[in-house]
Amino acid sequence: MDGPTTWQSVRAEAQRRIRTREWPPGAQIPHEADLAAEFGCARATVNRALRDLAEAGYLERRRKGGTRVALTPVRKATFEISIIRQDVEGRGQDYGYRLLSDALEPPPAPVRAALKLTGPAPLRALTALHLADDKPFCLERRWINPAFAGDDVRFDTVSANEWLVRNLAFSGGGFSFYATLADAELSGLLECAPGAALFAIDRTTFSEAQPITAVTLTYAPGYRMVTEI
Amino acid sequence: MDGPTTWQSVRAEAQRRIRTREWPPGAQIPHEADLAAEFGCARATVNRALRDLAEAGYLERRRKGGTRVALTPVRKATFEISIIRQDVEGRGQDYGYRLLSDALEPPPAPVRAALKLTGPAPLRALTALHLADDKPFCLERRWINPAFAGDDVRFDTVSANEWLVRNLAFSGGGFSFYATLADAELSGLLECAPGAALFAIDRTTFSEAQPITAVTLTYAPGYRMVTEI
DNA sequence: AAGTGGTCTAGACCACAAA
DNA sequence: TTGTGGTCTAGACCACTTG
């Protein structure tokens, strides 16, 4: 005996069959019940293994339709959205934060569109600088729905980034990553040459279909966002 | 009766308790057995729900240590690594591909380091251009371990990007995203102004600890990588 | 040593989609 | 209509870690 069949071992064997083309791309693979019989385990164990592979993009499963090997295995990479302070400290540098401005302003059209706002109601507009070892690390330009962070919430010492992460669990939204040029304002704030290439992230956050915040994070030159799979 | 308790409903209720601070950050939550009794369901159902929340970064679970609400909920975003052709076609544009060069060359030091190569053995060096509606979309500069794609594999019409995705299921590796400036060579190939800000991705791929390929994808100006959570 | 999550089993019913 | 995956149950044993 070699103990009970684990779902990891079933997954590994299924991976092997996909890699070796024993189960070629597009082909239908045996039912869970058949595989359970073959591996001598419960169907739930097979289910757990195949569900894992489907989540990773290697299999496509449909009720009644059965399970097929994905024609184009979609690699899914995950990256962690950390608080900027943790990002800096994780690099072994000292973190600093400076709030540059905080006022109510009517949002420009792109921000209104990103947050799906209809009216021109003013939003709370923040500009802040995140520092690493006293040097500019990232510029944060944020628009916040005042209903979620009124005047009583102050961002002098705690960044809006951190406050929102800690106070808005379970929200959805979108990201977009792109490159942008340092204009006069950015080069001044980030203390870099005008015309430098800067990595930037636009992010919108919703909670239960309510718009919460839109933010642009522009990083100082040389920044890389790293992840593994 | 309202039917069996689903793991999704358990997860939703747990989410609510975290959001409302009924389970505050850092606090230990009841055992699976207690929650199962409270919800009137099997422990496996509670386990499925809490495991899901833990994978999303909201809970931290340890055998014997119990389950705690994460102090800093790490948001995990996932993005799909698609074949560039699909990316272009998904935008409703015509895809084109042009192989610019293909030769065996000793890799430069950064590539050797990224692939953890010890010797100076030559790699297959490819340069190719991906087109959208006949305009440059993305420049691909790739180094491939010849053991995995010898001379018999030709990349005239099928991009190495696509060939590798289709032929190397189950591989690991790393990504890094950054911004870079268009130098003379890049501006010529991507038909953009010198000094433009370009979004770029470095990627390394390993299969079973064997180095497979290192690639730099440099996108034409204006490209955004988009994802949702 | 003991408590907690991780997993497996065997069986059952259900939801969905294909035929 | 029917076949397939999705899920729930009740019980059991095990692995890991903390005390």
Side-chain angles (χ1 to χ4, degrees), chain A residues 10-57:
Chain A
V10 174
R11 182 183 59 186
E13 172 60 14
Q15 283 191 348
R16 191 193 63 77
R17 294 186 185 183
I18 295 172
R19 190 181 343 112
T20 62
R21 300 289 191 280
E22 185 173 333
W23 289 346
Q28 193 152 28
I29 73 174
H31 322 171
E32 292 188 348
D34 285 357
L35 291 172
E38 177 190 343
F39 295 131
C41 67
R43 183 167 78 92
T45 305
V46 174
N47 180 278
R48 175 77 192 270
L50 298 188
R51 173 164 33 95
D52 203 65
L53 287 175
E55 282 172 4

Side-chain angles (χ1 to χ4, degrees), chain A residues 165-166 168-172 203, chain B residues 11 14-15 18-19 23-27 29 49-61 67-76 229:
Chain A
V165 168
R166 292 188 185 280
L168 280 175
F170 307 113
S171 46
R203 180 179 176 185
Chain B
R11 182 183 59 185
Q15 283 192 347
I18 296 172
R19 190 182 341 111
W23 290 345
I29 75 172
L50 298 188
R51 174 165 32 94
D52 202 65
L53 288 175
E55 282 173 4
Y58 294 111
L59 295 176
E60 291 172 359
R61 320 195 74 196
T67 301
R68 296 179 166 279
V69 180
L71 279 172
T72 61
V74 176
R75 302 306 309 267
K76 287 175 183 159
I229 54 175

Side-chain angles (χ1 to χ4, degrees), chain B residues 4-8 41-45 48 62-64:
Chain B
T5 306
T6 65
W7 69 267
Q8 289 97 333
C41 66
R43 183 166 78 91
T45 305
R48 175 78 194 270
R62 279 187 192 172
R63 283 167 160 154
K64 166 70 176 178

Side-chain angles (χ1 to χ4, degrees), chain A:
Chain A
M1 300 293 286
D2 37 31
T5 305
T6 65
W7 68 268
Q8 289 96 335
S9 73
V10 174
R11 182 183 59 186
E13 172 60 14
Q15 283 191 348
R16 191 193 63 77
R17 294 186 185 183
I18 295 172
R19 190 181 343 112
T20 62
R21 300 289 191 280
E22 185 173 333
W23 289 346
Q28 193 152 28
I29 73 174
H31 322 171
E32 292 188 348
D34 285 357
L35 291 172
E38 177 190 343
F39 295 131
C41 67
R43 183 167 78 92
T45 305
V46 174
N47 180 278
R48 175 77 192 270
L50 298 188
R51 173 164 33 95
D52 203 65
L53 287 175
E55 282 172 4
Y58 294 111
L59 294 176
E60 291 173 359
R61 319 196 75 196
R62 280 186 192 175
R63 282 167 158 149
K64 166 71 177 176
T67 301
R68 295 179 168 278
V69 180
L71 280 171
T72 60
V74 176
R75 302 305 310 266
K76 286 173 183 158
T78 69
F79 53 90
E80 299 185 345
I81 310 304
S82 56
I83 295 172
I84 295 172
R85 179 174 58 73
Q86 295 177 326
D87 194 355
V88 170
E89 290 173 350
R91 295 159 187 263
Q93 299 182 292
D94 281 333
Y95 174 73
Y97 171 76
R98 210 158 66 222
L99 180 63
L100 303 180
S101 71
D102 180 354
L104 277 181
E105 293 177 22
V111 171
R112 276 213 310 276
L115 289 177
K116 297 171 187 162
L117 297 175
T118 51
L123 299 182
R124 189 163 176 186
L126 293 172
T127 306
L129 197 57
H130 300 266
L131 308 166
D133 282 345
D134 287 326
K135 290 189 292 190
F137 179 77
C138 172
L139 180 70
E140 173 174 351
R141 295 204 258 209
R142 185 180 290 274
W143 298 84
I144 307 180
N145 183 339
F148 286 85
D151 291 341
D152 53 317
V153 183
R154 308 214 27 98
F155 297 120
D156 303 86
T157 55
V158 177
S159 79
N161 173 281
E162 188 156 348
W163 188 87
L164 287 160
V165 168
R166 292 188 185 280
N167 290 278
L168 280 175
F170 307 113
S171 46
F175 290 83
S176 85
F177 305 86
Y178 57 99
T180 191
L181 279 180
D183 58 18
E185 184 191 2
L186 282 170
S187 69
L189 291 169
L190 291 173
E191 294 174 15
C192 65
L198 306 177
F199 180 79
I201 304 176
D202 278 0
R203 180 179 176 185
T204 58
T205 303
F206 293 79
S207 186
E208 295 167 18
Q210 297 302 308
I212 307 295
T213 181
V215 65
T216 298
L217 299 172
T218 309
Y219 289 84
Y223 180 81
R224 281 173 175 253
M225 188 178 78
V226 173
T227 188
E228 299 210 345
I229 54 175

Side-chain angles (χ1 to χ4, degrees), chain B residues 102-150:
Chain B
D102 180 354
L104 277 182
E105 293 176 21
V111 171
R112 276 213 310 275
L115 290 177
K116 298 171 187 164
L117 296 174
T118 51
L123 298 182
R124 189 163 176 185
L126 294 171
T127 305
L129 197 59
H130 300 266
L131 308 166
D133 281 346
D134 286 326
K135 288 189 294 190
F137 179 77
C138 173
L139 180 69
E140 173 174 351
R141 296 203 259 209
R142 186 181 289 276
W143 299 83
I144 306 179
N145 183 340
F148 286 84

Side-chain angles (χ1 to χ4, degrees), chain B residues 8-222:
Chain B
Q8 289 97 333
S9 72
V10 173
R11 182 183 59 185
E13 171 60 14
Q15 283 192 347
R16 193 192 62 76
R17 295 186 185 183
I18 296 172
R19 190 182 341 111
T20 62
R21 301 288 191 279
E22 187 173 331
W23 290 345
Q28 192 151 31
I29 75 172
H31 322 171
E32 292 188 348
D34 285 356
L35 291 171
E38 177 190 343
F39 294 131
C41 66
R43 183 166 78 91
T45 305
V46 174
N47 180 279
R48 175 78 194 270
L50 298 188
R51 174 165 32 94
D52 202 65
L53 288 175
E55 282 173 4
Y58 294 111
L59 295 176
E60 291 172 359
R61 320 195 74 196
R62 279 187 192 172
R63 283 167 160 154
K64 166 70 176 178
T67 301
R68 296 179 166 279
V69 180
L71 279 172
T72 61
V74 176
R75 302 306 309 267
K76 287 175 183 159
T78 68
F79 54 90
E80 298 185 346
I81 310 304
S82 56
I83 295 173
I84 294 172
R85 179 174 58 74
Q86 293 178 328
D87 194 356
V88 170
E89 290 173 350
R91 295 159 187 262
Q93 299 182 294
D94 281 334
Y95 174 74
Y97 171 77
R98 208 158 68 222
L99 180 63
L100 302 180
S101 71
D102 180 354
L104 277 182
E105 293 176 21
V111 171
R112 276 213 310 275
L115 290 177
K116 298 171 187 164
L117 296 174
T118 51
L123 298 182
R124 189 163 176 185
L126 294 171
T127 305
L129 197 59
H130 300 266
L131 308 166
D133 281 346
D134 286 326
K135 288 189 294 190
F137 179 77
C138 173
L139 180 69
E140 173 174 351
R141 296 203 259 209
R142 186 181 289 276
W143 299 83
I144 306 179
N145 183 340
F148 286 84
D151 291 341
D152 52 319
V153 182
R154 307 212 30 98
F155 296 119
D156 304 86
T157 55
V158 176
S159 79
N161 175 283
E162 190 157 347
W163 187 86
L164 286 161
V165 168
R166 292 188 185 281
N167 289 278
L168 279 174
F170 307 113
S171 47
F175 289 83
S176 84
F177 306 87
Y178 57 98
T180 191
L181 279 180
D183 57 18
E185 183 190 4
L186 282 170
S187 69
L189 291 169
L190 291 173
E191 294 175 16
C192 66
L198 306 177
F199 181 79
I201 304 176
D202 278 359
R203 180 178 176 185
T204 57
T205 303
F206 293 79
S207 186
E208 297 167 16
Q210 297 301 308
I212 307 295
T213 180
V215 65
T216 298
L217 299 172
T218 309
Y219 288 84

